[in-house]
Amino acid sequence: MKNKERLLGMGAALVANVIFGFSFIFSKLALTAAHPLIILSMRFTVAFLVMCILVLSRAVRVDFRNKPRLKLILMCLAQPFAYFILELYGLSMVSSALSGVITSLVPVGVFLYSMFFTGEKPTALQGLCLALSVGGVAAISAFSGANGENRLLGILLLIGAVISASAYNLLSRGASVHYSPIERTFVMFLIGAVGFNLITLGVLRERFLPLWGEALSNPDFYLAIAYLAILSSVGAFLLYNYATGHISAVSASSFSSVITVVSVFAGLFILHESFSLSDTLLCLSIVLGVFGVNYAEGKKAELLTNKNSNS
């Protein structure tokens, strides 16, 4: 049963990150029609409304009574709230090459968090495979050839995004003890919808409603938001929150490297971008790294089970 749950958790994490990987195409589409803050506010408003419909129709159930809320609130503040804000403004100040290198460090952040704060110590093989996977992501980003000024503030903001995403992985795992994936996802989108709309209103002020109207007048915006809000937010985060309840935070975060692989192949076959032999080799290193992390996790769980059964 434990092995089945772990395999389901791994599958959920993989599918979630494949969905995240394709989301960049729809983000590009949305950016041609709307201001970035409008995209964030609309994305999480639609996602929250979808969750409300599911709850009100009793397709899913939530129950927040008599449950500790601190970890849940901290989880939601880390992701989506802090992460998306830090990433949005960090990317505006730093070259895409360096930003890719920095944001690829999320699994390393989870690795370090798990070592020092939760006692969930990764094995040496997991550490090696994480390095292989993250190295592949970093190399693809560095070889992208993008130009731009690497400003210190932007670098610090992206490091903050990495810290937020790493904290989210661990907090989601901690919150899974008391809250179902549905409940965690529901609160994430509630805080995201309220928070991003307040920020957008505060930043754009009198431009808020006109920019919303401008976005809604573009048919491409509806397609982009449908993917980003329903599939990449509701669907993917439900899967990812399920995964963090069944596999370790290190294993769950290792699948984030798959996003780069999916993005490269999506660019090749959908946007018809160039794809070299070195890109192929680096993508293989990412996939092997993810496989190695989870293989080592399975071996660690198997050894622990055998030890408990023999004692």
Side-chain angles (χ1 to χ4, degrees), residues 39-104:
I39 295 170
L40 285 176
S41 61
M42 181 73 83
R43 174 178 180 170
F44 285 95
T45 297
V46 172
F48 178 62
L49 290 175
V50 170
M51 290 300 296
C52 286
I53 291 170
L54 291 174
V55 171
L56 291 173
S57 65
R58 297 187 179 180
V60 298
R61 294 186 178 183
V62 295
D63 184 4
F64 300 102
R65 293 172 296 180
N66 302 319
K67 294 180 180 180
R69 292 178 181 151
L70 180 59
K71 278 189 179 179
L72 181 67
I73 293 172
L74 290 175
M75 182 198 80
C76 296
L77 291 176
Q79 175 84 290
F81 198 61
Y83 176 80
F84 278 97
I85 294 172
L86 292 166
E87 183 191 49
L88 177 69
Y89 286 99
L91 287 172
S92 69
M93 301 176 186
V94 175
S95 73
S96 59
L98 183 58
S99 66
V101 172
I102 295 171
T103 54
S104 73

Side-chain angles (χ1 to χ4, degrees), residues 142-211:
F143 294 159
S144 65
N147 296 315
E149 181 182 4
N150 299 322
R151 295 172 56 183
L152 178 60
L153 179 58
I155 292 171
L156 293 175
L157 288 172
L158 286 171
I159 290 173
V162 169
I163 293 171
S164 296
S166 303
Y168 159 73
N169 277 272
L170 294 166
L171 289 166
S172 179
R173 183 167 172 78
S176 69
V177 175
H178 301 286
Y179 294 94
S180 70
I182 297 289
E183 291 165 345
R184 281 175 279 152
T185 307
F186 182 88
V187 178
M188 282 175 67
F189 295 148
L190 168 60
I191 290 179
V194 173
F196 286 127
N197 274 290
L198 288 175
I199 289 173
T200 303
L201 182 60
V203 172
L204 299 180
R205 299 178 184 275
E206 67 275 1
R207 298 169 58 208
F208 180 77
L209 290 178
L211 285 174

Side-chain angles (χ1 to χ4, degrees), residues 97-134:
L98 183 58
S99 66
V101 172
I102 295 171
T103 54
S104 73
L105 298 175
V106 171
V108 175
V110 175
F111 185 103
L112 295 173
Y113 267 114
S114 64
M115 284 180 62
F116 294 110
F117 296 110
T118 70
E120 188 181 279
K121 296 186 182 297
T123 65
L125 178 58
Q126 283 180 307
L128 180 63
C129 292
L130 273 171
L132 178 65
S133 186
V134 171

Side-chain angles (χ1 to χ4, degrees), residues 26-46:
F26 294 91
S27 294
K28 283 187 175 182
L29 184 63
L31 284 168
T32 64
H35 187 283
L37 286 176
I38 294 292
I39 295 170
L40 285 176
S41 61
M42 181 73 83
R43 174 178 180 170
F44 285 95
T45 297
V46 172

